[in-house]
Amino acid sequence: MRIVFIGPPGAGKGTQAERLTEHLKIPHLSTGDMLRQAKDHGTDIGKLAGQYMDAGKLVPDGVIIQVVGERLRQPDCQQGCLFDGFPRTISQAESLDEFLRSDGTPLDAVLELYVPENVLVERLIARGRGDDNLEAIRQRFKDYEAITTPLLDYYKERALLYRIDGTGTMDEVFERIKTTVNSL
Ligand code: AP5
Ligand code: MG
Protein backbone atom coordinates (compact mmCIF):
# COMPACT_ATOMS: atom_id res chain seq x y z
CA MET A 1 0.00 0.00 0.00
CA ARG A 2 1.18 3.53 -0.83
CA ILE A 3 -0.20 6.31 1.31
CA VAL A 4 0.56 10.03 1.63
CA PHE A 5 -0.01 12.07 4.81
CA ILE A 6 -0.68 15.76 4.24
CA GLY A 7 -1.24 18.21 7.05
CA PRO A 8 0.06 21.42 8.54
CA PRO A 9 3.02 21.49 10.96
CA GLY A 10 2.01 19.76 14.18
CA ALA A 11 -0.98 17.95 12.67
CA GLY A 12 0.40 14.61 13.86
CA LYS A 13 1.78 13.26 10.58
CA GLY A 14 4.89 11.81 12.22
CA THR A 15 3.03 10.51 15.27
CA GLN A 16 0.36 8.75 13.25
CA ALA A 17 2.77 7.59 10.53
CA GLU A 18 4.72 5.64 13.15
CA ARG A 19 1.57 3.85 14.22
CA LEU A 20 0.21 3.23 10.73
CA THR A 21 3.51 1.93 9.34
CA GLU A 22 3.69 -0.53 12.21
CA HIS A 23 0.09 -1.60 11.54
CA LEU A 24 0.63 -1.99 7.76
CA LYS A 25 4.25 -3.23 7.98
CA ILE A 26 5.52 -0.71 5.45
CA PRO A 27 8.43 1.78 5.72
CA HIS A 28 7.89 5.34 6.94
CA LEU A 29 9.34 7.92 4.53
CA SER A 30 9.51 11.26 6.34
CA THR A 31 11.38 13.84 4.27
CA GLY A 32 11.73 15.99 7.41
CA ASP A 33 13.39 13.12 9.30
CA MET A 34 15.64 12.29 6.33
CA LEU A 35 16.78 15.91 6.04
CA ARG A 36 17.35 16.23 9.81
CA GLN A 37 19.45 13.06 9.68
CA ALA A 38 21.48 14.45 6.75
CA LYS A 39 21.94 17.67 8.72
CA ASP A 40 23.15 15.76 11.81
CA HIS A 41 25.62 13.84 9.64
CA GLY A 42 26.90 17.08 8.12
CA THR A 43 26.43 15.96 4.48
CA ASP A 44 26.29 18.57 1.69
CA ILE A 45 22.53 18.05 1.34
CA GLY A 46 22.15 18.30 5.10
CA LYS A 47 24.05 21.57 5.29
CA LEU A 48 22.03 23.08 2.47
CA ALA A 49 18.68 21.81 3.77
CA GLY A 50 19.46 22.93 7.32
CA GLN A 51 19.51 26.58 6.29
CA TYR A 52 15.98 26.33 4.92
CA MET A 53 14.64 24.17 7.74
CA ASP A 54 15.87 26.42 10.52
CA ALA A 55 14.03 29.32 8.89
CA GLY A 56 10.89 27.20 8.41
CA LYS A 57 11.21 27.44 4.62
CA LEU A 58 10.66 24.67 2.11
CA VAL A 59 13.81 22.98 0.85
CA PRO A 60 14.12 23.30 -2.99
CA ASP A 61 12.18 20.70 -4.97
CA GLY A 62 15.27 19.36 -6.76
CA VAL A 63 16.90 18.36 -3.46
CA ILE A 64 13.75 16.72 -2.13
CA ILE A 65 13.03 14.82 -5.33
CA GLN A 66 16.59 13.48 -5.39
CA VAL A 67 16.38 12.33 -1.76
CA VAL A 68 13.00 10.63 -2.23
CA GLY A 69 13.97 9.09 -5.59
CA GLU A 70 17.00 7.45 -3.99
CA ARG A 71 14.99 6.21 -1.03
CA LEU A 72 12.29 4.70 -3.25
CA ARG A 73 14.90 2.56 -5.00
CA GLN A 74 15.67 0.76 -1.72
CA PRO A 75 14.26 -2.78 -1.68
CA ASP A 76 12.11 -2.24 1.43
CA CYS A 77 9.88 0.15 -0.56
CA GLN A 78 8.84 -2.55 -3.03
CA GLN A 79 5.87 -3.57 -0.87
CA GLY A 80 4.70 -0.01 -0.34
CA CYS A 81 5.42 2.90 1.95
CA LEU A 82 3.95 5.84 3.82
CA PHE A 83 5.01 9.33 2.73
CA ASP A 84 5.06 11.82 5.62
CA GLY A 85 5.59 15.46 4.63
CA PHE A 86 6.07 14.65 0.95
CA PRO A 87 4.90 15.79 -1.54
CA ARG A 88 4.49 19.42 -0.47
CA THR A 89 4.45 21.15 -3.86
CA ILE A 90 2.69 20.39 -7.15
CA SER A 91 6.08 19.76 -8.74
CA GLN A 92 6.91 17.17 -6.04
CA ALA A 93 3.49 15.53 -6.56
CA GLU A 94 4.12 15.28 -10.31
CA SER A 95 7.55 13.76 -9.71
CA LEU A 96 6.05 11.24 -7.30
CA ASP A 97 3.43 10.31 -9.91
CA GLU A 98 6.24 9.71 -12.39
CA PHE A 99 8.29 7.60 -9.96
CA LEU A 100 5.27 5.47 -9.16
CA ARG A 101 4.06 5.24 -12.75
CA SER A 102 7.41 3.93 -13.91
CA ASP A 103 7.25 1.30 -11.15
CA GLY A 104 3.58 0.50 -11.91
CA THR A 105 2.67 1.13 -8.25
CA PRO A 106 0.19 4.03 -7.95
CA LEU A 107 -0.90 5.72 -4.74
CA ASP A 108 -3.78 4.13 -2.83
CA ALA A 109 -4.78 7.14 -0.75
CA VAL A 110 -3.85 10.60 0.45
CA LEU A 111 -4.90 11.30 4.04
CA GLU A 112 -5.28 14.92 5.05
CA LEU A 113 -5.01 15.50 8.81
CA TYR A 114 -6.79 18.73 9.75
CA VAL A 115 -6.39 20.52 13.08
CA PRO A 116 -7.15 24.16 14.05
CA GLU A 117 -4.18 26.49 14.13
CA ASN A 118 -4.33 27.32 17.87
CA VAL A 119 -4.03 23.62 18.72
CA LEU A 120 -1.12 23.23 16.29
CA VAL A 121 0.82 26.11 17.85
CA GLU A 122 0.31 24.66 21.34
CA ARG A 123 1.59 21.25 20.22
CA LEU A 124 4.66 22.67 18.46
CA ILE A 125 5.67 25.01 21.26
CA ALA A 126 5.34 22.14 23.74
CA ARG A 127 7.57 19.93 21.56
CA GLY A 128 10.33 22.54 20.99
CA ARG A 129 12.21 21.08 17.96
CA GLY A 130 14.85 23.37 16.36
CA ASP A 131 12.24 24.84 13.98
CA ASP A 132 9.50 25.14 16.64
CA ASN A 133 10.05 28.83 17.42
CA LEU A 134 7.26 31.29 16.64
CA GLU A 135 8.98 32.85 13.63
CA ALA A 136 9.72 29.54 11.90
CA ILE A 137 6.27 28.18 12.82
CA ARG A 138 4.62 31.21 11.20
CA GLN A 139 6.66 30.67 8.01
CA ARG A 140 5.81 26.95 7.95
CA PHE A 141 2.07 27.69 8.29
CA LYS A 142 2.28 30.32 5.56
CA ASP A 143 3.97 27.94 3.12
CA TYR A 144 1.55 25.16 4.00
CA GLU A 145 -1.41 27.39 3.12
CA ALA A 146 0.09 28.91 -0.01
CA ILE A 147 2.11 26.07 -1.50
CA THR A 148 0.92 22.76 -0.05
CA THR A 149 -2.88 23.12 0.22
CA PRO A 150 -3.25 23.24 -3.62
CA LEU A 151 -2.26 19.57 -3.46
CA LEU A 152 -5.57 18.82 -1.76
CA ASP A 153 -7.41 19.70 -4.98
CA TYR A 154 -4.79 17.86 -7.03
CA TYR A 155 -5.55 14.63 -5.15
CA LYS A 156 -9.28 15.29 -4.85
CA GLU A 157 -9.48 15.42 -8.65
CA ARG A 158 -7.77 12.03 -8.71
CA ALA A 159 -10.27 10.64 -6.16
CA LEU A 160 -7.46 9.86 -3.70
CA LEU A 161 -8.18 12.37 -0.93
CA TYR A 162 -9.59 11.41 2.50
CA ARG A 163 -10.01 14.08 5.20
CA ILE A 164 -9.35 13.06 8.79
CA ASP A 165 -10.06 15.06 11.94
CA GLY A 166 -6.67 15.27 13.69
CA THR A 167 -8.00 16.62 17.00
CA GLY A 168 -8.54 14.56 20.14
CA THR A 169 -6.15 12.02 21.59
CA MET A 170 -3.52 10.23 19.51
CA ASP A 171 -5.51 7.00 19.95
CA GLU A 172 -8.72 8.63 18.73
CA VAL A 173 -6.98 9.99 15.64
CA PHE A 174 -5.40 6.61 14.91
CA GLU A 175 -8.80 4.88 15.12
CA ARG A 176 -10.14 7.31 12.48
CA ILE A 177 -7.14 6.63 10.26
CA LYS A 178 -7.48 2.86 10.61
CA THR A 179 -11.19 3.03 9.74
CA THR A 180 -10.37 4.95 6.56
CA VAL A 181 -7.45 2.74 5.57
CA ASN A 182 -9.37 -0.46 6.25
CA SER A 183 -12.12 0.78 3.93
CA LEU A 184 -9.77 1.23 0.97
P1 AP5 B 1 8.65 18.19 8.72
O1 AP5 B 1 9.58 17.47 9.59
O2 AP5 B 1 7.80 17.43 7.78
O3 AP5 B 1 7.78 19.16 9.64
P2 AP5 B 1 6.29 19.76 9.54
O4 AP5 B 1 5.55 19.47 8.31
O5 AP5 B 1 6.45 21.19 9.92
O6 AP5 B 1 5.52 18.95 10.56
P3 AP5 B 1 5.93 18.44 11.99
O7 AP5 B 1 6.90 17.33 11.88
O8 AP5 B 1 6.29 19.62 12.83
O9 AP5 B 1 4.52 17.97 12.49
P4 AP5 B 1 3.79 16.56 12.33
O10 AP5 B 1 2.58 16.76 11.52
O11 AP5 B 1 4.74 15.48 11.94
O12 AP5 B 1 3.32 16.37 13.81
P5 AP5 B 1 3.93 15.44 14.97
O13 AP5 B 1 3.42 14.07 14.86
O14 AP5 B 1 5.39 15.65 15.07
O15 AP5 B 1 9.47 19.27 7.87
C1 AP5 B 1 10.40 20.10 8.50
C2 AP5 B 1 11.11 20.95 7.48
O16 AP5 B 1 11.83 20.13 6.55
C3 AP5 B 1 10.22 21.82 6.58
O17 AP5 B 1 9.89 23.04 7.21
C4 AP5 B 1 11.12 22.00 5.37
O18 AP5 B 1 12.12 22.96 5.63
C5 AP5 B 1 11.76 20.64 5.23
N1 AP5 B 1 10.99 19.71 4.40
C6 AP5 B 1 10.50 18.49 4.78
N2 AP5 B 1 9.84 17.91 3.77
C7 AP5 B 1 9.90 18.76 2.73
C8 AP5 B 1 9.38 18.73 1.40
N3 AP5 B 1 8.68 17.67 0.96
N4 AP5 B 1 9.62 19.79 0.60
C9 AP5 B 1 10.36 20.85 1.01
N5 AP5 B 1 10.87 20.95 2.27
C10 AP5 B 1 10.64 19.91 3.12
O19 AP5 B 1 3.21 16.13 16.24
C11 AP5 B 1 3.62 17.40 16.67
C12 AP5 B 1 3.60 17.41 18.22
O20 AP5 B 1 2.26 17.24 18.65
C13 AP5 B 1 4.42 16.28 18.84
O21 AP5 B 1 5.04 16.73 19.99
C14 AP5 B 1 3.35 15.21 19.16
O22 AP5 B 1 3.72 14.43 20.24
C15 AP5 B 1 2.14 16.07 19.44
N6 AP5 B 1 0.88 15.43 19.05
C16 AP5 B 1 0.64 14.72 17.92
N7 AP5 B 1 -0.63 14.28 17.90
C17 AP5 B 1 -1.22 14.74 19.04
C18 AP5 B 1 -2.53 14.63 19.61
N8 AP5 B 1 -3.51 13.95 18.97
N9 AP5 B 1 -2.77 15.22 20.80
C19 AP5 B 1 -1.79 15.91 21.43
N10 AP5 B 1 -0.52 16.04 20.97
C20 AP5 B 1 -0.25 15.47 19.78
MG1 MG C 1 6.74 15.38 11.37
Side-chain angles (χ1 to χ4, degrees), residues 5-182:
F5 269 176
I6 295 187
K13 301 182 294 294
T15 302
Q16 299 298 333
E18 270 184 33
R19 293 170 176 228
L20 189 58
T21 51
E22 198 175 315
H23 178 66
L24 295 175
K25 309 269 181 279
I26 53 175
H28 175 188
L29 267 66
S30 159
T31 41
D33 288 350
M34 289 188 241
L35 296 171
R36 277 184 289 277
Q37 203 174 39
K39 192 181 161 201
D40 290 347
H41 290 164
T43 65
D44 289 344
I45 283 188
K47 283 182 204 155
L48 173 77
Q51 295 171 12
Y52 291 90
M53 296 168 83
D54 292 345
K57 292 191 171 147
L58 291 179
V59 173
D61 285 337
V63 174
I64 299 290
I65 290 162
Q66 184 192 334
V67 168
V68 173
E70 281 170 16
R71 182 67 187 85
L72 279 177
R73 283 197 286 276
Q74 303 294 312
D76 62 331
C77 292
Q78 298 307 308
Q79 303 308 317
C81 64
L82 194 158
F83 298 96
D84 158 8
F86 172 89
R88 264 169 144 101
T89 66
I90 294 285
S91 160
Q92 291 179 18
E94 288 170 348
S95 294
L96 178 61
D97 282 347
E98 264 170 51
F99 287 144
L100 297 180
R101 202 170 21 239
S102 63
D103 289 345
T105 54
L107 286 176
D108 295 281
V110 174
L111 310 186
E112 177 202 353
L113 285 176
Y114 63 91
V115 177
E117 197 166 302
N118 61 320
V119 177
L120 295 172
V121 175
E122 273 172 31
R123 287 184 186 176
L124 294 173
I125 295 293
R127 180 180 60 183
R129 201 171 68 193
D131 56 349
D132 289 339
N133 57 78
L134 275 178
E135 203 179 326
I137 290 173
R138 219 170 279 133
Q139 180 67 45
R140 284 154 67 201
F141 281 154
K142 203 170 129 204
D143 283 353
Y144 179 74
E145 278 307 321
I147 302 171
T148 303
T149 59
L151 288 181
L152 300 174
D153 277 340
Y154 180 93
Y155 286 122
K156 203 169 161 188
E157 283 163 13
R158 287 158 178 75
L160 286 171
L161 186 70
Y162 297 83
R163 300 195 75 220
I164 292 172
D165 177 358
T167 62
T169 66
M170 296 177 194
D171 287 345
E172 285 167 345
V173 177
F174 187 52
E175 283 307 314
R176 292 178 200 129
I177 290 174
K178 265 199 303 192
T179 303
T180 299
V181 169
N182 290 340

